[in-house]
Amino acid sequence: MTAVRLSAGRLARRLPLRHILCLLPLVLVVVVAVRHRAVLAEGVGHLATAKWPWLLAAVCVTCLTWVAAAVTRQGAVVDRLPRLRLLVTQFAAGSANHLLPTGLGASAVNLRFMTVCGLPLARSSAALALYLLAESVARVGLLAALLITFPHALRLGPLLPDGAWGPLLLAVGAAALVVVAVFALVRRLRAAVLSFLRTALGEARSVHTRPSRALALWGGSLAFPALQASGLVLVGLALGLDVPPAHMALAYLAATVAVALVPTPGGIGSVEAALIVALVAVGGPVAVATAVVLAYRIITVWLPLLPGALTLGALVRWKVI
């Protein structure tokens, strides 16, 4: 028995774990691409018929989203992070985010990056939570502003079945009660959550005592969803979607807020469906709305996926993350 354990230990030491981690993103890209090959083919077909100046503008706007993410990440911590590595990490994190469910990929990459940069795990986790909170508040705030400005743009009535709101609200209420009950009954969990909240609040106070950090945090948080929505607008213009640009932006924000809690890798599948529904709800024809969404996801998800995975593997190999 002892000999077996020793041989297993030697085998584990010989395995090139870091090399395996470098190749893992590429394997996941192949798996995801094969599973969604029909969507890829249809999206590329729509891109071939689009107006290229608008598509090039959409590509540029997509690149700016990584800059906005990097600015927001820096704004969430008081310590100065290496700028170039931070920006490259956001590009790689975007690829990881499309390979793992519910934003886990980007969160794991950025958490590892901050700890490698010397931030303690507790502060890195607090910075991550502050980033997610700021981005969520900014996204919902932009959506609310557009809904107030264009109150009749989003027509959800014909798209929702009668009586759908009751079960939905009941499910949300039940989930909230379960969370509160677990928090109240499990003492260790309650202590851990309270400790984390104290650390997070302390980090948030430190960030907001420095105007440059607060401006980066909230400015980047507003710019990130605004740039994403602008990308959809530009693709809509490229494919001739007969919907006002502000209404397209409203549709994008409404769809992404609605699918924020759907546990699918990068929202693949759920985001497409929600975006098509939202574009139809603001007055777009179903066929053109579908073409716009597929082309938009090709630009924002599928084109950066492979280079992002290669970058992620390189960052792992070079011990940046």
Side-chain angles (χ1 to χ4, degrees):
M1 192 68 178
T2 304
V4 172
R5 289 177 181 173
L6 288 174
S7 61
R10 293 193 193 99
L11 179 61
R13 286 193 295 270
R14 289 176 183 175
L15 282 175
L17 180 59
R18 188 165 290 274
H19 292 172
I20 293 173
L21 291 176
C22 291
L23 294 174
L24 183 59
L26 298 179
V27 175
L28 291 175
V29 167
V30 173
V31 171
V32 173
V34 170
R35 288 181 58 192
H36 298 86
R37 58 187 179 276
V39 174
L40 273 169
E42 189 174 354
V44 170
H46 290 307
L47 285 175
T49 63
K51 298 175 183 176
W52 283 96
W54 292 116
L55 289 183
L56 291 175
V59 171
C60 293
V61 166
T62 299
C63 295
L64 288 176
T65 60
W66 302 316
V67 177
V71 170
T72 311
R73 299 283 183 187
Q74 176 61 84
V77 293
V78 175
D79 309 70
R80 181 178 292 278
L81 300 173
R83 294 180 181 177
L84 181 58
R85 279 186 283 168
L86 176 61
L87 179 59
V88 174
T89 300
Q90 300 319 301
F91 178 58
S95 180
N97 210 39
H98 296 307
L99 300 174
L100 294 175
T102 322
L104 292 178
S107 298
V109 169
N110 279 287
L111 189 63
R112 176 64 181 167
F113 172 72
M114 287 186 285
T115 54
V116 169
C117 288
L119 272 71
L121 182 59
R123 289 188 56 210
S124 299
S125 302
L128 181 63
L130 181 58
Y131 169 88
L132 294 174
L133 176 62
E135 201 275 333
S136 299
V137 169
R139 188 177 296 270
V140 173
L142 285 175
L143 174 61
L146 286 175
L147 285 172
I148 293 170
T149 307
F150 307 100
H152 303 296
L154 197 62
R155 301 185 295 275
L156 290 177
L159 299 172
L160 291 176
D162 294 336
W165 285 109
L168 178 61
L169 293 176
L170 183 62
V172 172
L177 286 176
V178 170
V179 171
V180 171
V182 170
F183 184 76
L185 295 174
V186 183
R187 180 178 298 178
R188 289 184 178 179
L189 176 63
R190 184 168 65 250
V193 170
L194 291 176
S195 174
F196 173 76
L197 287 177
R198 283 193 291 269
T199 302
L201 289 173
E203 192 71 16
R205 281 195 295 268
S206 300
V207 164
H208 286 87
T209 58
R210 300 186 62 176
S212 60
R213 291 292 186 267
L215 180 61
L217 175 66
W218 293 104
S221 296
L222 285 168
F224 185 69
L227 288 167
Q228 289 181 319
S230 299
L232 180 67
V233 170
L234 290 167
V235 175
L237 294 173
L239 290 172
L241 181 62
D242 190 18
V243 173
H247 293 190
M248 282 191 266
L250 172 59
Y252 174 83
L253 293 170
T256 52
V257 168
V259 301
L261 299 179
V262 177
T264 58
I268 292 174
S270 58
V271 170
E272 283 87 350
L275 281 174
I276 292 169
V277 168
L279 286 175
V280 172
V282 295
V286 176
V288 183
T290 302
V292 168
V293 170
L294 292 177
Y296 173 73
R297 294 290 278 175
I298 288 288
I299 291 173
T300 58
V301 175
W302 296 105
L303 286 182
L305 195 58
L306 180 58
L310 291 171
T311 303
L312 181 60
L315 292 178
V316 172
R317 183 176 180 82
W318 297 334
K319 300 182 181 181
V320 175
I321 57 175

